[in-house]
């Protein structure tokens, strides 16, 4: 198990599935196959939406890449001393080097992916620059049944 996941993906539709598999496997290596991973699936959904957005919009159908970076840290709550469980917190970045396009004023039946992503994590931010777009997400996974990570 590594405390870091770093995957570079081609900006193509199949990359969304690849990101889901990579992130799900990484999360399972952190927390085992416990209920903890159920909330991790919220993070997988959010990352899928952000990567799908990047693939579809950042490069206007041309070639490009999307990078998925995730890090975990263990947080022992103040006052819990050595009896604290060591809550796992995951931070994710989805980075592209394409061009941000404002969503249409009337997206019709589309355009809800980023809203779903934001609702699935504790915090989400989007930074748009001339060099591309970075979506950051944070999700607390709670306390694992077995401690596997130290920060």
């Amino acid at each position: 198990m590594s405390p870091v996941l770093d995957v570079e993906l081609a900006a193509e539709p199949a990359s969304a599935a690849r990101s889901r598999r990579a992130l799900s496997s990484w999360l399972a290596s952190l927390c085992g196959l416990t209920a903890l991973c159920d909330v991790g699936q919220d993070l997988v959904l959010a990352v899928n939406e952000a990567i799908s957005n990047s693939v579809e919009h950042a490069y206007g159908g041309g070639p490009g890449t999307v990078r998925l970076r995730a890090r975990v840290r263990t947080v022992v709550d103040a006052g819990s001393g050595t009896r604290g469980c060591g809550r796992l917190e995951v931070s994710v970045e989805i980075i592209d080097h394409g061009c941000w396009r404002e969503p249409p004023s009337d997206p019709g039946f589309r355009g809800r992916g980023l809203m779903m992503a934001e609702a699935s994590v504790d915090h989400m931010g989007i930074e748009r620059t001339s060099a591309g777009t970075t979506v950051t997400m944070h999700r607390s996974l709670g306390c694992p049944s077995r401690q596997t990570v130290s920060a």
Side-chain angles (χ1 to χ4, degrees):
M1 181 282 314
S2 171
V4 176
L5 173 68
D6 191 352
V7 181
E8 186 170 62
L9 306 158
E12 60 189 26
S15 291
R18 183 171 172 222
S19 73
R20 289 191 306 271
R21 285 190 301 272
L23 186 58
S24 293
S25 294
W26 183 73
L27 287 169
S29 77
L30 298 176
C31 62
L33 300 175
T34 66
L36 173 61
C37 287
D38 291 343
V39 295
Q41 292 307 308
D42 293 344
L43 183 60
V44 173
L45 169 70
V47 167
N48 177 74
E49 291 299 329
I51 287 181
S52 294
N53 239 20
S54 185
V55 165
E56 184 174 355
H57 301 294
Y59 299 103
T65 59
V66 181
R67 179 164 235 111
L68 165 60
R69 290 186 185 147
R71 296 184 186 278
V72 66
R73 69 185 189 119
T74 303
V75 178
V76 177
D77 294 323
S80 63
T82 58
R83 305 204 81 171
C85 67
R87 186 169 37 90
L88 300 180
E89 291 187 353
V90 176
S91 298
V92 176
E93 293 179 315
I94 298 96
I95 304 160
D96 70 52
H97 300 288
C99 185
W100 176 265
R101 294 188 305 181
E102 290 297 328
S105 58
D106 180 9
F109 294 108
R110 300 185 45 128
R112 291 165 183 81
L114 290 178
M115 288 186 293
M116 288 184 354
E118 188 170 19
S120 300
V121 295
D122 298 329
H123 172 77
M124 186 174 103
I126 301 173
E127 180 182 358
R128 304 166 195 101
T129 69
S130 59
T133 302
T134 301
V135 177
T136 56
M137 301 175 183
H138 303 279
R139 181 70 162 113
S140 176
L141 298 182
C143 300
S145 59
R146 59 179 170 80
Q147 187 67 34
T148 58
V149 178
S150 60

